[in-house]
Amino acid sequence: MKKNLFRVETILVMAVLLMLLLIGLVNPAALNQNTLFNMLRSFITVGIFGMGVLVVLVSGGMDVSFTYIAPVAAYLAVRILVAADYSGSVIVPFLLAALFGAAMGAANGLLIARYDFPSMIVTLGTGAAFQGLTVFFVGATHITALPGGMLDMSRTNLATVQFADGSQGGINITIVITVAVIILVWFLLNKTIWGRGLYALGGSKTSAYRVGFPVGRLQFSLYTLVGCLAGITGVIYMSLNRQATPHLMVGTELDVIAAVVLGGASVFGGRGTVMGAVLGIALVTILNNSLILIGIPTQWQKAAIGVVILTGTALPIVLGKLKRCLK
Amino acid sequence: MKNIKTLRALAGSNMQNAFLVMGILLVCAVVGALRPTVFLTWDNINSMCLQISEVGLLTLGMMLAFLIGGIDLSVVSNAVLSATISGSVMLELADTSTGLAIAAAIVVALAVSIVCGFVNGLLIAQIKLPAILATLGTNSLFRGIATGLTGGSTLSGYPMAFSLISNGHIFGIYYAFLIFIVAAALISLYLNRLRGGFLASMTGSNEKAAYYSGVSTKRVIISVHTLVGLIAGVAGIVMMSRSNSINPDYGTSYLLQTILVCVVAGVNINGGRTRISGVALSLVLMQMISTSFNILLSQYTGANFFKNFAWGFLLLLIMVLNFYSGRVRTRQSGRLST
């Protein structure tokens, strides 16, 4: 029991509940389905991004290129489909974007695995390079006439609720993809030798190599997977916002990383759970969407997030020290 | 035999600078030949210098953070926060006396940035947060405070005299550039001649070893981060005075740029090694690349983004070149020693 009390997940669950309670107390009217739907809507994309970040962090790496890969891959897919006058199923843009994303992720993986460069520096370079290359050669025309399937998807809700004032709200169908990705990453990390390998790699690269894990292949495959996930996120984001440019989402990478780290993943690798990451992302999403509801003006939101990140990351360390002192 | 070895070692240590100088000469030659009337003119060089000084100061701060084996993701936010606070103070005092307002603004900017840097240092050294996490948090916090105080809007309407800090010139050289040169010279002095700089590089190359040889690593980390803060404050004054205004969202793209410049310059991101000469050269190269793409590709809409590609590509290229030149060197030195 005592052991569980100090776990990051427990603290996060309490923080999330406390946050919801606070909103309920301060502004009961705000705690309705619409707020919840808004939170879920922003969770859809950040959730998938977060899973990618978690995989990278567990392996001891750092990826800052995923917010570049996502819009670029999705934008390329949209441009191709618009040029081909395509209006069929939504599967095709997803496949195309996943393919482009995977290719860009593979480039990251190749540089990191083959040359053993620091992953943060590599992804810093490739992110800028991919975006620059795309904008220059393909252009950055703002597209609002998305291929048919994507527009349909943005209108399809899993559950629709009619509110008292006549407006409608609902959970977009794409949340299914997020849930599927979360389950997939959970399965990969916990139930496969690949996932074990990632934890080993993150704990100590040399040891993982000596034990016999194919370190290079692991790194290559993991960055390819993360690129692929980023491509899918890009399509979802563009479809939800009904517009496409290669600049969307760029600049949010540190926020996503912060949320995952808040969930207990170590920036030095080897530690991190899917549950923790999901809770960390949930907490940041709730904060982002609800500070205004409990009376904190929007202009102070970023500062509040900063305080949460600092306390969230410092707390386990301080608690650990406290525990040692008590002993 | 010994001479050859020393020569090789020398070539090795300056390999990066050699690449950079070659790059600069190449850009000069190509763009100078293609657009002789625009590129190598005094006006263009001067405007490049003005742009270098702002990013350059921030890069010097980032370099010091790298030196002690850390990183400072909050360096740009720190500059923006100290600029916004000092800007508000200046606006308050502007009616009474221009001189007083400007002096107060400078003092406030430096004080705020020093406090911010000190907070970073405390979080890293005292609470033992990893530098990347601590500064990730303070990055959000500093920029958040700046946004909160201004409500996200731009502060402007400073006394005209304030803009002279960056835009005034002597012998045709902008003050901003001179400030950058002086800062670089002082930091170079600190690193090469002063005790603090030596202890900082000791701490960066091996913190444990430094600790056991009697260095108070905690104090070193706190003081270096405070120094990084101070530099960010100077950068804040320069960036605010360049346009005589400050927006809390200003300069978000600078952060990755400063890291990029450091890596291209050959600063060891794991700590212990800095290269002021490399930083200066790579700043010049980066600026030249971005300016020349803007000149050469001005008829295309995406010209501004092609420089992103060029920077990213340059970073990866230099890393790959270093990888192969390093391997050749170790192979050769191995052969020599047998």
Side-chain angles (χ1 to χ4, degrees):
Chain A
M1 180 61 209
K2 204 169 179 185
K3 204 176 161 195
N4 280 340
L5 208 62
F6 279 114
R7 279 183 53 179
V8 182
E9 284 90 344
T10 330
I11 298 173
L12 279 173
V13 168
M14 289 196 293
V16 168
L17 290 178
L18 201 73
M19 199 63 215
L20 291 175
L21 194 72
L22 205 65
I23 304 169
L25 285 178
V26 177
N27 193 349
L31 201 63
N32 55 24
Q33 279 166 316
N34 209 3
T35 321
L36 195 70
F37 288 154
N38 277 337
M39 290 177 188
L40 277 174
R41 195 184 165 86
S42 35
F43 182 81
I44 291 175
T45 44
V46 187
I48 307 184
F49 268 161
M51 287 303 110
V53 169
L54 174 71
V55 168
V56 175
L57 286 183
V58 161
S59 80
M62 176 68 93
D63 187 352
V64 289
S65 70
F66 61 97
T67 47
Y68 291 85
I69 293 183
V72 165
Y75 186 74
L76 285 175
V78 168
R79 274 299 281 261
I80 289 176
L81 293 177
V82 166
D85 228 359
Y86 175 85
S87 60
S89 153
V90 74
I91 302 290
V92 178
F94 270 122
L95 277 180
L96 270 179
L99 203 71
F100 286 129
M104 287 184 250
N108 280 341
L110 196 70
L111 286 166
I112 293 163
R114 167 75 181 80
Y115 294 108
D116 201 17
F117 294 153
S119 48
M120 181 172 156
I121 307 299
V122 167
T123 51
L124 195 66
T126 52
F130 294 145
Q131 195 198 27
L133 212 56
T134 309
V135 175
F136 186 70
F137 285 110
V138 185
T141 327
H142 191 103
I143 298 176
T144 45
L146 297 178
M150 281 172 75
L151 283 179
D152 290 340
M153 185 173 74
S154 73
R155 290 195 203 97
T156 316
N157 282 340
L158 203 60
T160 311
V161 175
Q162 192 89 30
F163 293 120
D165 60 349
S167 66
Q168 271 189 348
I171 311 169
N172 192 271
I173 185 93
T174 44
I175 189 116
V176 174
I177 302 176
T178 309
V179 173
V181 167
I182 291 173
I183 293 172
L184 173 78
V185 169
W186 177 85
F187 179 78
L188 284 176
L189 283 182
N190 294 298
K191 299 288 169 196
T192 64
I193 193 72
W194 187 78
R196 293 287 96 198
L198 288 198
Y199 280 101
L201 178 61
S204 161
K205 195 176 161 187
T206 323
S207 315
Y209 180 75
R210 296 257 162 88
V211 170
F213 282 111
V215 170
R217 242 182 295 158
L218 275 177
Q219 280 180 321
F220 180 76
S221 55
L222 97 91
Y223 285 100
T224 312
L225 173 73
V226 171
C228 181
L229 288 180
I232 293 171
T233 321
V235 173
I236 296 177
Y237 190 91
M238 284 177 183
S239 142
L240 287 179
N241 291 282
R242 291 180 201 163
Q243 53 168 326
T245 74
H247 308 304
L248 296 168
M249 296 187 276
V250 167
T252 57
E253 57 271 2
L254 292 183
D255 298 337
V256 181
I257 294 172
V260 175
V261 167
L262 201 61
S266 161
V267 279
F268 300 120
R271 267 192 299 131
T273 60
V274 171
M275 190 64 199
V278 169
L279 285 171
I281 298 164
L283 182 64
V284 172
T285 311
I286 292 175
L287 271 177
N288 267 332
N289 284 286
S290 65
L291 281 176
I292 189 156
L293 300 178
I294 57 170
I296 298 177
T298 31
Q299 69 205 62
W300 286 102
Q301 246 176 46
K302 211 174 165 66
I305 300 274
V307 171
V308 169
I309 294 171
L310 284 176
T311 42
T313 45
L315 205 63
I317 300 177
V318 175
L319 279 181
K321 267 189 193 163
L322 213 68
K323 257 198 302 192
R324 251 173 283 141
C325 285
L326 288 178
K327 274 176 192 166
Chain B
M1 232 30 185
K2 210 170 188 182
N3 283 341
I4 295 176
K5 233 176 174 176
T6 352
L7 264 181
R8 283 228 167 90
L10 211 63
S13 72
N14 283 321
M15 193 68 110
Q16 197 107 14
N17 283 4
F19 283 145
L20 291 171
V21 170
M22 271 174 352
I24 292 172
L25 290 178
L26 190 73
V27 174
C28 276
V30 172
V31 187
L34 289 174
R35 295 283 189 281
T37 50
V38 190
F39 191 68
L40 289 174
T41 59
W42 183 245
D43 280 346
N44 186 44
I45 291 173
N46 232 347
S47 92
M48 283 198 283
C49 287
L50 184 61
Q51 290 173 57
I52 284 175
S53 44
E54 201 175 311
V55 186
L57 284 165
L58 294 166
T59 310
L60 289 175
M62 185 62 88
M63 182 193 76
L64 286 179
F66 278 137
L67 170 70
I68 53 166
I71 186 169
D72 189 351
L73 297 176
S74 72
V75 67
V76 184
S77 309
N78 187 349
V80 169
L81 175 61
S82 46
T84 42
I85 293 182
S86 82
S88 326
V89 170
M90 185 157 47
L91 287 178
E92 284 292 317
L93 294 173
D95 293 335
T96 50
S97 146
T98 314
L100 179 73
I102 292 175
I106 292 172
V107 171
V108 168
L110 297 182
V112 170
S113 62
I114 285 175
V115 169
C116 289
F118 186 70
V119 168
N120 277 336
L122 275 187
L123 287 170
I124 295 163
Q126 213 67 42
I127 304 190
K128 297 248 183 291
L129 271 180
I132 191 166
L133 283 189
T135 55
L136 184 66
T138 50
N139 174 44
S140 232
L141 181 65
F142 295 160
R143 206 175 272 278
I145 296 175
T147 316
L149 287 175
T150 58
S153 54
T154 306
L155 291 180
S156 60
Y158 305 141
M160 276 319 283
F162 184 72
S163 75
L164 288 181
I165 293 178
S166 284
N167 298 313
H169 38 73
I170 181 165
F171 304 129
I173 301 168
Y174 285 109
Y175 287 152
F177 191 62
L178 294 177
I179 294 174
F180 166 66
I181 297 285
V182 170
L186 287 177
I187 291 170
S188 170
L189 187 79
Y190 165 78
L191 290 175
N192 296 314
R193 292 278 176 270
L194 296 185
R195 188 167 166 272
F198 181 67
L199 294 184
S201 73
M202 262 178 89
T203 307
S205 44
N206 190 335
E207 196 179 329
K208 217 169 241 173
Y211 179 77
Y212 283 117
S213 37
V215 178
S216 166
T217 48
K218 252 185 203 174
R219 200 185 300 166
V220 169
I221 291 173
I222 293 179
S223 57
V224 168
H225 272 282
T226 313
L227 181 60
V228 175
L230 176 65
I231 299 168
V234 176
I237 295 172
V238 168
M239 67 169 64
M240 181 160 65
S241 112
R242 230 183 90 183
S243 56
N244 227 13
S245 66
I246 188 78
N247 182 289
D249 283 332
Y250 186 80
T252 34
S253 65
Y254 282 172
L255 179 59
L256 298 186
Q257 218 170 307
T258 56
I259 300 176
L260 215 72
V261 172
C262 282
V263 175
V264 171
V267 172
N268 186 352
I269 59 161
N270 296 317
R273 182 161 49 94
T274 53
R275 305 163 62 92
I276 297 255
S277 58
V279 166
L281 286 174
S282 65
L283 276 168
V284 171
L285 180 58
M286 302 280 245
Q287 189 57 48
M288 277 191 164
I289 288 177
S290 97
T291 306
S292 44
F293 279 130
N294 277 340
I295 294 174
L296 289 179
L297 306 172
S298 54
Q299 66 266 45
Y300 300 101
T301 44
N304 232 331
F305 284 90
F306 197 72
K307 84 176 181 223
N308 285 6
F309 163 70
W311 284 354
F313 185 72
L314 182 74
L315 174 74
L316 298 171
L317 181 74
I318 288 211
M319 284 168 74
V320 172
L321 282 178
N322 277 344
F323 177 82
Y324 283 112
S325 71
R327 209 156 68 163
V328 170
R329 264 209 314 282
T330 41
R331 210 182 290 156
Q332 281 172 345
S333 59
R335 207 179 292 152
L336 278 175
S337 61
T338 48

